[in-house]
Amino acid sequence: GLDEDSIVRIALIYKNSPLCSEGVRRGWIIKEINDVEIAPIMIAQDWEAYNNLLGPMVAGRTNKFLFQKPDNSEVTISSTKASFNVNTVILYETLNLSSGVTGHLVLESFVEPTEQELITAFAFFKSHNVKDLIIDLRYNGGGYLHIARQLASYIGGNGLAGTTFSTLLYNNKMQSANQEWPFISTSYSLALPKIVVITTRGTASASEAVMNGLDPHIDIVSVGDTTTRQHFARRGWECLPVGFWDC
């Protein structure tokens, strides 16, 4: 991604990715890919040139990266593309703030691996007696609604079980698909009165559903940019057509 100074940086990195195994971390500056300066391409949003530079999405393709590390030293890394399992919980940790023990969760999407990853994260939060929670959804474009419900149920607590998390409403051609999604009971509920959510324009769909579904029950503090469809949102629901989580 581009930062405010139009410098290209690693915005997030999967722990099983080839570059992560080489020591590359969030915040590193990418100066060149295959001896081509990358910033002008991203500033121009020339995604055809970007994709041509990185080559096809097939295992075995090797690209050369010139990075600038946080200590301002430069390193060249040749990285070969490979298939790997993504992690959607990029980070979970506790912060010892003046208000007490605060949980910090960075979540990239709501897909199949997310379910077990959230169990691990919230078991950790529960064992550390977390009373406040910061959720980073800046790069989360959404995913499965049932996993969004899982996250919201951990946050809201078992007292919400059975009440409406989200309602799916279709037009008159799909009335049979209308559905209520209630909150569920979980083993690691925190029952928090308030959460802070970090958002961008890329925060979308299931991410927004978590915020909308919890909004009637707890205080949601959004920090950052307006989410993808915030101006269309209504409390407690999100519109989702067949096949893709989008309005």
Side-chain angles (χ1 to χ4, degrees):
L2 285 167
D3 68 13
E4 292 180 352
D5 297 316
S6 296
I7 295 172
V8 183
R9 295 181 182 272
I10 296 290
L12 62 84
I13 188 164
Y14 296 115
K15 66 181 180 182
N16 295 325
S17 67
L19 280 175
C20 190
S21 68
E22 295 283 352
V24 178
R25 294 295 181 266
R26 170 178 162 80
W28 282 30
I29 294 172
I30 312 171
K31 302 190 76 172
E32 296 178 356
I33 299 177
N34 297 327
D35 300 317
V36 176
E37 189 178 356
I38 187 64
I41 293 174
M42 293 195 66
I43 291 169
Q45 299 185 32
D46 188 347
W47 306 124
E48 182 178 1
Y50 177 86
N51 290 329
N52 289 338
L53 188 59
L54 286 171
M57 291 189 288
V58 294
R61 159 85 181 211
T62 299
N63 291 308
K64 184 174 71 172
F65 297 83
L66 175 61
F67 291 105
Q68 182 177 317
K69 300 166 70 174
D71 63 3
N72 292 323
S73 65
E74 294 185 354
V75 59
T76 298
I77 297 175
S78 292
S79 178
T80 301
K81 295 185 180 185
S83 297
F84 61 91
N85 292 325
V86 302
N87 59 294
T88 64
V89 173
I90 306 299
L91 175 70
Y92 65 90
E93 62 181 349
T94 55
L95 307 172
N96 293 313
L97 305 181
S98 58
S99 58
V101 180
T102 298
H104 176 219
L105 176 73
V106 183
L107 184 62
E108 184 264 350
S109 59
F110 296 86
V111 294
E112 288 184 9
T114 311
E115 188 167 6
Q116 184 57 52
E117 292 175 40
L118 286 177
I119 290 174
T120 301
F122 277 84
F124 172 82
F125 291 149
K126 188 79 170 179
S127 69
H128 284 75
N129 200 29
V130 162
K131 299 300 183 185
D132 295 292
L133 184 63
I134 301 168
I135 305 178
D136 188 339
L137 297 177
R138 282 177 290 175
Y139 310 106
N140 195 314
Y144 293 124
L145 190 59
H146 73 275
I147 299 178
R149 175 178 65 173
Q150 177 192 6
L151 173 59
S153 297
Y154 284 138
I155 295 167
N158 291 338
L160 296 181
T163 63
T164 299
F165 162 67
S166 184
T167 302
L168 274 65
L169 299 175
Y170 292 81
N171 62 24
N172 57 8
K173 298 180 180 179
M174 289 288 295
Q175 289 292 296
S176 61
N178 288 351
Q179 187 175 358
E180 292 279 343
W181 289 75
F183 286 93
I184 58 175
S185 292
T186 70
S187 298
Y188 306 108
S189 75
L190 299 182
L192 301 175
K194 180 180 76 172
I195 61 170
V196 174
V197 185
I198 307 175
T199 60
T200 65
R201 296 275 179 174
T203 303
S205 195
S207 292
E208 293 168 304
V210 171
M211 300 171 69
N212 291 337
L214 284 169
D215 185 48
H217 307 286
I218 71 172
D219 187 12
I220 308 291
V221 178
S222 177
V223 177
D225 206 346
T226 303
T227 65
T228 302
R229 288 179 301 277
Q230 187 171 326
H231 57 295
F232 292 123
R234 298 291 184 272
R235 282 194 169 189
W237 63 267
E238 184 184 38
C239 53
L240 309 171
V242 176
F244 189 74
W245 303 130
D246 204 350
C247 278

